[in-house]
Amino acid sequence: MNYIRPLTIGSFTAANNLLLAPMAGITDSPFRVLCLKGGAGLVCAEMVSAHALHYGNAKSGRMLQINPKEHPVSMQIFGSDEATIAEAARNAEAQGADIVDLNAGCPVKKINKAGAGCVLMKDEAKLGRLVEAAVKSVKIPVTLKTRIALTHKEILSVRLAKLAESAGAAAVVLHARAAVDVHSGPPNVPAVAEACAAVKIPVIGNGGIVDAQTAQPFLDAGCAGVMIGRGAVGNPFVFRDIIDVFSGKTPSSHTPLSRLHIYLDLIRENVAYYGERIGVNRSRKTAGYWIKDFPGASEVRGQFVRLDALADIEALFSRTFARVEAGL
């Protein structure tokens, strides 16, 4: 079976069917560029509030900005009002997004209290109107990212996939866990398979995918592609590794030392993009994914999270490089 192939979503075609999932606080512009270098066929930005964009929030506005190096990119928006969703979709298109994605799967309480995220699964008519509003407002493809269920009592994957299709979405991304599971537990691939068989638009599988072995069940189930989230944090070349495995090649070897070098480059990119204070703070969030698997890693992480200046961080990493290379 040819697992890796181009992925067509409406009028857009990605070079391959391995996608980076949107992750709040992580999938910003510097990280998206890194994942494209790592073999991703499409990267999805962290979700942006349609409500905040409507009221001119500067931070949210900046989140829509796209680096020319990060195409193809899908811009994810969230909200509960048709007019602001349509406005946000137009803003994303104007900024150069290749695709607009509507979030209807986030289980975070703050998002849900605003009537957005996974609570939209409770009101399918409203969710359909939101998708339609986004579709009618732009010329680029619109996709829906949601989950297979709110709880384990009722699987909604088929209904939600059909809803997305009838509302004009060009594809649907299904996280194969219920909202109550958040990110834990085994993914329910059969529920995603049922959705694949029920609609003609591409269904993209998501949830617990970290390598070729965990991607294969989704692709065997009929998914047009897979979306990788936390499996890419600390290993933005996971996409290339999966391509290599499915091509019969040995995946590229990423040692703790090479991971540290990549991480330092990402920290530098974050500082260049955000400024030193914010750039360093953003980098700290994922330190546990990067600084690991070598003697004294926990000590280095502890030192890193207490540093605020890039020069001090570079000095720490320089010492760490020498220690790791020496096998100390």
Side-chain angles (χ1 to χ4, degrees):
M1 181 176 179
N2 183 19
Y3 288 110
I4 304 301
R5 54 189 182 273
L7 174 62
T8 298
I9 299 174
S11 59
F12 171 81
T13 299
N16 67 57
N17 55 348
L18 305 179
L19 289 65
L20 172 68
M23 292 178 283
I26 297 175
T27 54
D28 55 9
S29 182
F31 188 70
R32 297 195 297 264
V33 171
L34 187 56
C35 287
L36 285 169
K37 291 179 180 178
L42 175 71
V43 292
C44 192
E46 54 187 323
M47 61 183 181
V48 184
S49 167
H51 182 81
L53 289 172
H54 176 72
Y55 285 99
N57 181 276
K59 180 180 178 181
S60 296
R62 180 167 183 174
M63 289 171 69
L64 285 183
Q65 294 179 4
I66 296 171
N67 184 326
K69 296 179 181 180
E70 65 179 274
H71 288 285
V73 60
S74 171
M75 188 61 61
Q76 187 179 73
I77 57 177
F78 73 92
S80 58
D81 174 79
E82 294 164 47
T84 55
I85 282 291
E87 181 183 5
R90 288 192 294 270
N91 286 338
E93 181 180 44
Q95 289 290 336
D98 298 291
I99 292 171
V100 173
D101 182 66
L102 177 62
N103 181 300
C106 178
V108 175
K109 291 181 180 179
K110 180 180 177 181
I111 305 298
N112 296 165
K113 285 182 179 180
C118 71
V119 296
L120 290 171
M121 298 164 65
K122 296 180 179 179
D123 189 342
E124 294 176 26
K126 180 178 182 178
L127 177 56
R129 292 194 298 270
L130 291 175
V131 175
E132 287 181 1
V135 169
K136 292 178 180 179
S137 67
V138 296
K139 295 180 180 179
I140 59 177
V142 172
T143 59
L144 173 67
K145 188 174 189 299
T146 186
R147 289 176 175 255
I148 59 166
L150 279 163
T151 69
H152 297 282
K153 294 180 180 179
E154 183 180 18
I155 300 299
L156 303 173
S157 53
V158 170
R159 291 217 312 259
L160 292 174
K162 287 183 176 181
L163 178 154
E165 184 175 52
S166 64
V172 59
V173 181
L174 287 175
H175 186 134
R177 297 186 181 102
V180 293
D181 295 328
V182 189
H183 297 291
S184 63
N188 185 344
V189 178
V192 178
E194 291 179 1
C196 292
V199 296
K200 294 180 180 179
I201 60 173
V203 175
I204 298 162
N206 173 229
I209 300 170
V210 296
D211 53 22
Q213 183 178 1
T214 48
Q216 185 172 338
F218 284 93
L219 297 170
D220 285 338
C223 288
V226 294
M227 183 172 272
I228 301 168
R230 291 184 296 171
V233 184
N235 183 20
F237 295 93
V238 62
F239 310 97
R240 179 58 55 194
D241 289 344
I242 292 174
I243 292 170
D244 286 343
V245 170
F246 285 142
S247 300
K249 302 176 183 178
T250 301
S252 301
S253 176
H254 300 291
T255 65
L257 183 61
S258 67
R259 188 188 300 119
L260 286 173
H261 279 287
I262 295 169
Y263 186 37
L264 180 56
D265 287 341
L266 179 60
I267 295 168
R268 288 168 174 156
E269 289 294 330
N270 283 339
V271 168
Y273 187 77
Y274 293 104
E276 190 165 57
R277 182 180 64 82
I278 297 176
V280 170
N281 284 339
R282 297 263 314 186
S283 301
R284 288 191 186 116
K285 295 178 180 180
T286 58
Y289 290 91
W290 296 93
I291 307 174
K292 63 179 185 177
D293 299 335
F294 63 89
S298 60
E299 179 184 348
V300 175
R301 282 198 306 272
Q303 294 177 42
F304 169 69
V305 298
R306 292 193 295 270
L307 298 177
D308 298 312
L310 178 60
D312 292 336
I313 292 170
E314 290 176 327
L316 171 64
F317 272 67
S318 180
R319 295 192 300 271
T320 304
F321 293 153
R323 283 178 51 194
V324 175
E325 287 174 345
L328 301 177

